[in-house]
Amino acid sequence: MGSLLAAELLKVRKRWLPYGLVLFMIGGAAIVIWVGGYAEWHDQNDLQYRQTSLHTFAFPWSIPSLLDSGQFWGALFVGILVSSVVATEYNWGTVRQALIRGQSRTQYLAVKLAGLVLVSALSLLLALAAGLGFSLLATSFADQPITLDVPDGPSAPEVALMILRAGYAVIPYGMLAFCLAVVGRSTAIGAAGVMAYIIAESITLAIFNESGTFLHDLRDLFPGHYAQALMGANRIGTGEYNHIAFRELPVPSELPDPNVAALVLALYSLAFLAIAVYVFRRRDLRA
């Protein structure tokens, strides 16, 4: 199993796509800190806007802003990566070759998924590390103290928990892409499917959030509603911040309990995985 995973990681590492996606995510983190945060704070005279901008780039308030934006775009980028890696194997004809050599179908999917989880997690952490580096630099430029000792500020273990929440909220979208790519055997189906879903879900939830009818309760059907609950648990105090996620800021009082949200997201992820495994195990793979 270890050698199979090492081979899988080598195949992914040889692709250009993961590196390109990491650079895009680092660019997004730079936009959050320098454009949405420091530049706005430096140029604005309105006290409220300056406070919002300060909470976008200044450490540790920048952590929720980076994680909120990172979860939204990270889900999209992970979906593209997963779709490409899974579907390309069909185009190369290596799926059937791997099974002929004695690898079971379940083992093949497990190794593929484990490799993708490791590469995705490393990519997201690299982008976050770059974003935090930008934040520390911008905080220093603004002559603000660099400390976790702020009102409602998190401790170091709580910062780790915040990062885990954001990463956990990416998983259902990665599993959706995995499911679509396995079932459709196409990068386009997997990538376009998860992109279309994320955009449609954001628009739909925004409409439902403003609705006073039964539509308001239909938010519970969407994984994005529960992902928002985890992002809401990451907020430091009640101050607002700027972000580049195409959705409103999470308001914890209007969202499900984070523990319930984590359970529901796990169920969504398991459902997508079950569909992928079921279809793959029953599929006739031709040369």
Side-chain angles (χ1 to χ4, degrees):
M1 189 71 173
S3 60
L4 293 174
L5 180 58
E8 183 63 32
L9 291 174
L10 179 62
K11 286 192 291 184
V12 177
R13 202 175 67 201
K14 293 293 185 180
R15 297 169 177 267
W16 62 267
L17 185 60
Y19 303 100
L21 293 177
V22 169
L23 290 177
F24 271 111
M25 289 188 288
I26 291 175
I31 291 173
V32 171
I33 298 300
W34 296 112
V35 179
Y38 186 80
E40 283 287 315
W41 173 83
H42 190 271
D43 296 337
Q44 283 284 348
N45 293 320
D46 184 274
L47 181 60
Q48 182 178 352
Y49 282 118
R50 282 177 63 86
Q51 190 72 4
T52 298
S53 301
L54 179 69
H55 284 183
T56 302
F57 77 85
F59 186 85
W61 291 290
S62 60
I63 298 174
S65 178
L66 288 168
L67 293 178
D68 197 350
S69 302
Q71 187 277 326
F72 182 88
W73 289 101
L76 186 61
F77 292 152
V78 166
I80 294 173
L81 175 64
V82 168
S83 301
S84 174
V85 171
V86 172
T88 301
E89 296 281 359
Y90 288 102
N91 299 329
W92 288 347
T94 51
V95 177
R96 187 169 184 272
Q97 293 301 318
L99 299 180
I100 288 175
R101 292 172 183 171
Q103 193 174 355
S104 71
R105 297 193 179 212
T106 301
Q107 186 183 49
Y108 174 85
L109 284 184
V111 170
K112 182 71 64 182
L113 190 57
L116 287 168
V117 168
L118 290 175
V119 171
S120 298
L122 179 59
S123 300
L124 293 172
L125 288 173
L126 285 174
L128 176 61
L132 291 176
F134 295 148
S135 174
L136 294 174
L137 191 59
T139 304
S140 177
F141 286 169
D143 292 326
Q144 298 292 322
I146 298 176
T147 177
L148 290 174
D149 187 18
V150 298
D152 298 316
S155 63
E158 287 171 338
V159 170
L161 179 59
M162 293 166 71
I163 295 172
L164 287 174
R165 287 194 193 107
Y168 188 88
V170 171
I171 294 175
Y173 300 97
M175 293 307 305
L176 173 60
F178 186 79
C179 178
L180 291 174
V182 170
V183 173
R185 291 179 285 187
S186 166
T187 300
I189 291 176
V194 75
M195 288 174 63
Y197 178 78
I198 290 174
I199 294 172
E201 182 185 61
S202 298
I203 295 172
T204 302
L205 286 176
I207 295 173
F208 287 1
N209 283 335
E210 298 299 323
S211 173
T213 65
F214 74 96
L215 294 177
H216 194 75
D217 295 330
L218 292 181
R219 299 177 304 166
D220 295 341
L221 299 176
F222 295 87
H225 184 53
Y226 300 97
Q228 275 286 76
L230 295 184
M231 294 301 96
N234 282 348
R235 293 189 66 166
I236 299 175
T238 58
E240 295 188 351
Y241 54 81
N242 297 321
H243 62 168
I244 55 174
F246 295 151
R247 60 192 180 197
E248 298 176 351
L249 289 179
V251 180
S253 61
E254 299 176 0
L255 293 165
D257 178 85
N259 294 322
V260 174
L263 176 60
V264 173
L265 291 179
L267 293 176
Y268 272 110
S269 300
L270 289 174
F272 294 140
L273 177 60
I275 293 171
V277 172
Y278 176 80
V279 172
F280 188 71
R281 292 187 65 178
R282 295 178 62 87
R283 172 172 287 151
D284 181 21
L285 296 173
R286 302 181 183 277

